[in-house]
Every structure is written in C-alpha cells, then in structure tokens.
Amino acid sequence: MQTTQGADERYPLAELDNLPEDIRAQILEVQQKSGFVPNVFLKLARRPDEYRAFFAYHDALMLREGGLTKGEKEMIVVATSAQSQCLYCVVAHGALLRIFEKSPLLADHLATNYRKAPITPRQRAMLDFALKVSNASHAIEDADFAALHAHGFADEDIWDIGAIAAFFALSNRMANLSGMMPNPEFHLLGRVPREKKPG
C-alpha cells in the first residue's frame, strides 16, 4: 500500500532554536515587527546558505530605491504569483500590497484579473511586461521596452520590473514545491483600515 507524504513532513519548518545565530536573529526581528513568523522564513531556513542568498537577493530588489514604489513592486509580485498559482505569495504579498496602497480590495483584483483592476495605465503597462517576463520571456522585444518608455519608465526601472518577476517565479516554484502555506495572520492584514489615533 502506497502512502503519500505531506510537504510539511517532507520539508518541515525549521526549529528556531536549531538555526544559525544570524538567521535566528533575523527571524526574531521579523517576529517582533510583525507579531508572527511568516512561514517562508522557517521553510527556507532548513538550508541556511540558500536562505541567506534568497533573502539577500529579495532585499536587494524589494528595498532598492528607484522608480517603482513599494506598492508597485508588490503589484508585480501578486499579479505574477497569481499566474503561477502560488497561494503563499498571493496571500502574503497581497497583505503587503493592501498595507502599502491602503486599499483592502486591490490585491484581490490583481490576483483575479489584473487587467480589470483599478490601476493606472502606467501600472497596467508595468504588469503587462512583468507577466511577459514571467510567462514568455523568450518573446521580449524592443517594442516591449518602447511601451514602457512611453509611460516614463527608465531602463533601470524596467530591469527592476523584470528582475522582480523573475525572482518571484523562483519563489513561487519553491513555495509550491515545498507546500508552503500562508500564515492565517496574512489574511486579515490591511483588510480593515486602522483607526486613526486621536490628537
């Protein structure tokens, strides 16, 4: 009789106490800021060298100052992750998108059909290109760059769009391979605007 092994049994979340000190410290810092530990950290920490490389590249792309806002970067992640059917990235980055854009609905629209989402023509062009990088990078041509230039994107911005789409293609596939599930906390973040404190 053949039995199936769940992804959490095959690739279990790392135990925080057993991790190298630098990784443990980073994860505890994330926990202090967010109130929980996103599963991506503990799932990838089972291979410390790959964890460090992954998050170094993630931070180089997502924290870099340039022509894209934090919200626009998250739009790329949500739209391309939806195409890859990556539940973890759609839910986790959808939460970040809701927070950065102060919109409880935008992430759901982008994950379902970005072409009908309430975004600007510039952002639509950005996502058209990101999806092409994600799904058909072999077909990229000069006309794709010209379309983005017409919306004011510089070549370095276009690199950022493509690099984020490409990086999260890797992330989506690793999340799906490892059975990474989004933390319940992500589902509620940014859904209801926080009340402003008086004064």
Side-chain angles (χ1 to χ4, degrees):
M1 178 176 161
Q2 187 175 5
T3 59
T4 56
Q5 187 177 22
D8 279 338
E9 296 172 358
R10 187 176 290 114
Y11 304 119
L13 299 176
E15 294 288 339
L16 197 56
D17 292 341
N18 298 333
L19 295 175
E21 185 53 39
D22 63 314
I23 294 176
R24 188 171 168 283
Q26 182 184 24
I27 292 174
L28 288 173
E29 184 178 345
V30 169
Q31 183 180 38
Q32 186 174 15
K33 284 182 181 177
S34 63
F36 66 100
V37 178
N39 286 336
V40 64
F41 289 92
L42 295 176
K43 186 70 81 167
L44 297 182
R46 57 189 306 279
R47 290 193 174 192
D49 289 344
E50 293 172 32
Y51 171 102
R52 293 183 186 102
F54 180 93
F55 283 106
Y57 194 28
H58 172 280
D59 291 352
L61 289 173
M62 301 303 282
L63 302 180
R64 179 182 181 277
E65 294 290 333
L68 304 181
T69 67
K70 289 181 179 179
E72 286 171 339
K73 291 179 180 183
E74 297 299 340
M75 288 180 195
I76 295 168
V77 180
V78 171
T80 57
S81 297
Q83 290 287 307
S84 297
Q85 299 184 53
C86 179
L87 177 64
Y88 185 90
C89 291
V90 167
V91 173
H93 289 272
L96 293 174
L97 176 57
R98 289 191 296 272
I99 291 167
F100 289 142
E101 292 295 310
K102 298 178 174 56
S103 170
L105 304 178
L106 181 57
D108 295 335
H109 291 192
L110 290 176
T112 304
N113 184 349
Y114 78 93
R115 292 176 182 86
K116 294 186 177 182
I119 56 178
T120 66
R122 176 182 182 274
Q123 291 165 342
R124 165 75 183 271
M126 173 188 77
L127 295 181
D128 285 341
F129 184 75
L131 268 293
K132 190 166 187 178
V133 170
S134 185
N135 297 332
S137 60
H138 63 280
I140 292 171
E141 54 189 0
D142 287 344
D144 297 310
F145 290 86
L148 290 169
H149 291 154
H151 286 281
F153 288 105
D155 283 341
E156 292 304 313
D157 301 328
I158 298 170
W159 179 288
D160 287 340
I161 296 167
I164 292 167
F167 176 79
F168 277 92
L170 162 68
S171 181
N172 297 160
R173 285 151 181 78
M174 290 306 298
N176 286 336
L177 161 72
S178 66
M180 197 182 299
M181 294 299 291
N183 305 64
E185 291 90 342
F186 281 126
H187 292 278
L188 297 179
L189 291 176
R191 293 283 184 196
V192 179
R194 291 183 179 177
E195 291 185 11
K196 292 183 179 178
K197 294 180 180 177

